[in-house]
Amino acid sequence: MEEKLVLTQEWDKTFPKSEKVDHSKVTFHNRYGITLAADLYIPKAAAGRLPAIAVCGPFGAVKEQAAGLYAQSMAEHGFLTLAFDPSFTGESGGTPRYMASPDINTEDFQAAVDFLSLRDDVDPEKIGIIGICGWGGLALNAAALDTRIKATVTSTMYDMSRVNSNGYFDAEDSEEARYAKRRALNAQRLIDYKSGEYALGGGVADPMPEDAPFYFQDYHSYYKTRRGYHPRSLNSNGGWNVVGCMSFFNQPILAYAGEIRSAVLVMHGEKAHSCYFSRDAFAKLNGDNKELLLIPDAVHTDLYDRMDIIPFDKLADFFQKNLK
């Protein structure tokens, strides 16, 4: 039995509504019994069974931000699309709030495929996924597991296992550094258990220190300004729980990326601090249906919402070619 969710019905996205597609709110459940909230986008005057795409990310964002923009844009290109909030975040169910899980969040993508596959207006043999930022790595994990996913796009991806275990740019890639982080996280578990609530780790800093690294400033320019702020977004507000991403330490999500047989397009900004995640993930992939697309001069958040930079025509061509 699905949880009863309270869904906002008015348009509250960070991007304008398209007149070329119909939009509605829907829910579906994953195999852990968590009900997920989603925005469904369907091309106007669509007929018959359509190819479909499920979209999620960035990590710590909500469907009203980049995922929804991608979904709406792909619907304008003729696809039925679904932008969803992951378990424990946004309008989706699951308690406690603000937790992440390599397993459950991979399952969220698979549950979206379940939901789409059984719709009368979707061709179940033509389903793809898009993962943005941290959900790019999780999208690859889902594609390695779910043979129903015929094509995958990752955009400005993070490998959340790697960044949690090794730190940014692998600067903390040592047993000692990981041990220190594990000690701190396990100490926090006792604090949380004793208090009866989970401490938040804090979202994007505001104000951002002038001497902060560029990639922190890049996040601020999106999550803390009119450009991308949303009241339900973790990154725009209090962030994940301090212990929310702990399980990524022990669960490498790209272990079987080399066994993905379906098509994959790995897209990243060439100037993004995070580009090494995509380059290294792409190197794990096998087959002539894999492509690395580097966007010249683009930084990480450019691929969240820059309509002048995100190559939606290219994405549409990729899915049209491979969803067959």
Side-chain angles (χ1 to χ4, degrees):
M1 185 174 179
E2 290 195 2
E3 301 164 86
K4 192 70 175 176
L5 303 182
V6 178
L7 304 180
T8 302
Q9 295 303 320
E10 65 267 18
W11 186 264
D12 64 344
K13 321 301 183 199
T14 58
F15 52 90
K17 187 175 184 178
S18 171
E19 297 304 316
K20 299 178 181 179
V21 305
D22 291 322
H23 163 264
S24 61
K25 287 290 192 71
V26 296
T27 62
F28 59 99
H29 66 275
N30 67 22
R31 65 186 171 94
Y32 293 105
I34 299 170
T35 301
L36 304 178
D39 287 298
L40 186 70
Y41 298 90
I42 304 177
K44 285 188 182 292
R49 290 181 176 268
L50 301 177
I53 303 170
V55 190
C56 194
F59 199 80
V62 288
K63 63 188 180 304
E64 289 76 17
Q65 295 172 306
L69 175 64
Y70 272 68
Q72 179 175 263
S73 299
M74 296 309 294
E76 289 180 331
H77 284 80
F79 300 88
L80 183 149
T81 62
L82 185 77
F84 64 90
D85 284 330
S87 296
F88 313 114
T89 65
E91 292 185 308
S92 287
T95 55
R97 306 301 291 167
Y98 314 139
M99 290 291 185
S101 162
D103 181 20
I104 296 175
N105 295 140
T106 298
E107 163 63 20
D108 290 341
F109 263 125
Q110 292 195 269
V113 175
D114 293 340
F115 173 77
L116 291 170
S117 295
L118 298 176
R119 288 183 61 89
D120 292 338
D121 51 3
V122 169
D123 184 338
E125 298 301 318
K126 297 181 179 181
I127 294 177
I129 60 175
I130 298 175
I132 307 165
C133 185
W135 257 262
L138 290 163
L140 290 181
N141 201 39
L145 183 61
D146 198 325
T147 56
R148 301 169 301 170
I149 296 171
K150 298 302 193 298
T152 300
V153 167
T154 69
S155 177
T156 198
M157 75 159 279
Y158 260 57
D159 176 347
M160 295 309 300
S161 294
R162 182 175 177 180
V163 76
N164 275 282
S165 300
N166 299 353
Y168 282 99
F169 314 113
D170 298 326
E172 301 164 3
D173 184 13
S174 72
E175 181 181 339
E176 285 302 315
R178 278 187 286 275
Y179 185 76
K181 285 189 279 188
R182 289 170 183 144
R183 278 181 60 89
L185 287 169
N186 283 297
Q188 184 64 47
R189 288 179 68 104
L190 296 181
I191 295 170
D192 293 344
Y193 198 94
K194 185 175 181 179
S195 70
E197 58 185 33
Y198 291 93
L200 292 175
V204 176
D206 188 35
M208 179 63 61
E210 291 185 8
D211 61 349
F214 171 76
Y215 58 93
F216 286 164
Q217 298 179 38
D218 187 26
Y219 285 130
H220 185 279
S221 73
Y222 181 78
Y223 287 109
K224 289 294 189 177
T225 69
R226 291 181 61 186
R227 174 185 167 196
Y229 176 83
H230 197 278
R232 289 192 295 274
S233 170
L234 283 70
N235 293 339
S236 290
N237 297 284
W240 297 95
N241 294 332
V242 175
V243 299
C245 300
M246 188 174 183
S247 58
F248 281 98
F249 276 78
N250 278 23
Q251 299 179 46
I253 56 175
L254 300 184
Y256 295 99
E259 296 183 10
I260 299 173
R261 297 187 182 185
S262 56
V264 178
L265 172 63
V266 177
M267 178 174 70
H268 218 112
E270 193 174 34
K271 297 291 183 63
H273 72 278
S274 49
C275 193
Y276 69 100
F277 290 122
S278 283
R279 291 181 184 273
D280 290 355
F282 179 75
K284 295 176 182 287
L285 304 178
N286 293 303
D288 58 7
N289 57 351
K290 312 298 191 293
E291 181 179 352
L292 176 64
L293 175 64
L294 298 180
I295 309 300
D297 299 319
V299 298
H300 187 85
T301 67
D302 284 341
L303 297 189
Y304 284 6
D305 65 338
R306 289 282 301 275
M307 297 298 292
D308 57 326
I309 289 179
I310 304 169
F312 283 113
D313 289 344
K314 166 68 175 178
L315 300 191
D317 288 343
F318 169 79
F319 281 114
Q320 286 164 0
K321 175 184 175 182
N322 292 290
L323 294 184
K324 58 184 181 180

